[in-house]
Amino acid sequence: MAESTQGFFGEARARAELGLAVFLNAGDPSLPVLKDCVAMLDESGVSCLELAVPFPDSPTDGPVVRRSADRALAEGVGFAETLAFVAAVRPSLKRLRIALLADWSHSLRAASPADYARAVADSGIDALLAHGLPPRLRPAHHEALREAGLPEVTSCYPASPPATVAEAAAHATGYLYLVARYGRSGSGTPSAGHAGLAPVVGSLRDLTASPIAVGFGVSTAEDLASVALSGADAAIVGSAGVAVVERARETGADPVDAYRSFITTLTTTPESRGGHS
């Protein structure tokens, strides 16, 4: 697998630089176009693709991501199609890691944790983030991922209760996603800016050796620079990139070219890739 000896964001961490993860729904753009987009991301030096199995009516996503999921669902893309897609593109990737985001109710509940963990691992996916996992299933989920050798992505908020933070840190074997603020995706930056999360990132460092990635409200090179000042290992860019795909569809532009240009705006400003403070 890509970066197999260094883990998520390993190359960036080794250079004391900020890693970059981007979010897209499988099926938006369509899978043949997404294949080209994944190859472009790999060539562009993006560390991680958070690839979501599309599901409807997400309570944590804003209108941009919801429309994207609806388009992907209209393309007939589900759990099996997403895993098959990753299995097909994985052999050609040199460095890009793929973390799967799957909603438990829509995509995972039909199978046992052992079965879905094995299916995800066998596809070549590098880690799994389960959305909406019922608390009663968490022990079986964690154990199934360990048995499958599948790293886990967990998440918490700056204001999450200590027990929630501790659980997220304990099971973050892929990376820990620090969601910068409550609300729906695409709803803006935290009030003190991403750099203001430094105390939270510092406290998480005491709880986990896994990388810490900050998302929500990250859409520009300046935002990436602010995330770097927080001391996090990576920034996650979601709605802003999904909006680029949507605009390309509406205008008839090439989504891959449009997304490549967007990545360039994020990564060419020196301070957006600077080291931790």
Side-chain angles (χ1 to χ4, degrees):
M1 292 182 183
E3 288 187 26
S4 59
T5 62
Q6 300 190 71
F8 278 90
F9 315 113
E11 291 184 3
R13 293 177 89 189
R15 295 191 300 266
E17 293 180 353
L18 185 71
L20 175 61
V22 297
F23 167 93
L24 288 171
N25 276 301
D28 185 51
S30 64
L31 294 183
V33 178
L34 183 61
K35 179 180 178 181
D36 293 337
C37 192
V38 168
M40 178 274 294
L41 294 174
D42 191 40
E43 295 167 0
S44 299
V46 172
S47 302
C48 173
L49 168 63
E50 280 195 349
L51 187 64
V53 181
F55 62 100
D57 304 322
S58 169
T60 58
D61 286 320
V64 171
V65 174
R66 282 187 168 205
R67 289 194 299 268
S68 171
D70 289 344
R71 290 191 295 268
L73 290 167
E75 294 270 351
V77 176
F79 185 63
E81 291 79 12
T82 302
L83 298 193
F85 171 81
V86 175
V89 301
R90 161 58 65 203
S92 65
L93 299 181
K94 297 179 177 65
R95 58 172 290 168
L96 182 72
R97 283 183 166 263
I98 299 177
L100 186 74
L101 190 159
D103 180 69
W104 179 80
S105 182
H106 187 78
S107 301
L108 301 178
R109 70 183 299 170
S112 69
D115 286 345
Y116 67 65
R118 175 50 56 192
V120 172
D122 286 349
S123 74
I125 285 165
D126 297 288
L128 174 64
L129 170 58
H131 177 273
L133 186 69
R136 63 183 173 81
L137 291 181
R138 288 174 187 167
H141 173 81
H142 299 319
E143 178 61 23
L145 268 60
R146 283 194 297 269
E147 289 293 322
L150 179 64
E152 183 171 358
V153 178
T154 61
S155 63
C156 66
Y157 292 88
S160 290
T164 300
V165 173
E167 181 182 9
H171 297 287
T173 49
Y175 58 93
L176 195 158
Y177 183 170
L178 177 59
V179 183
R181 62 184 298 275
Y182 285 107
R184 290 184 173 180
S185 59
S187 57
T189 60
S191 58
H194 295 94
L197 296 172
V200 181
V201 173
S203 67
L204 290 172
R205 293 273 182 225
D206 295 333
L207 299 175
T208 181
S210 293
I212 298 165
V214 171
F216 260 53
V218 182
S219 61
T220 67
E222 291 72 23
D223 293 332
L224 265 68
S226 187
V227 171
L229 290 173
S230 78
D233 299 290
I236 302 171
V237 178
S239 296
V242 175
V244 169
V245 174
E246 183 173 63
R247 286 193 296 271
R249 294 178 68 118
E250 291 172 349
T251 62
D254 183 337
V256 179
D257 286 344
Y259 207 88
R260 181 186 291 109
S261 296
F262 174 66
I263 294 297
T264 299
T265 69
L266 294 175
T267 58
T268 54
T269 303
E271 58 265 32
S272 73
R273 303 291 285 181
H276 302 161
S277 60

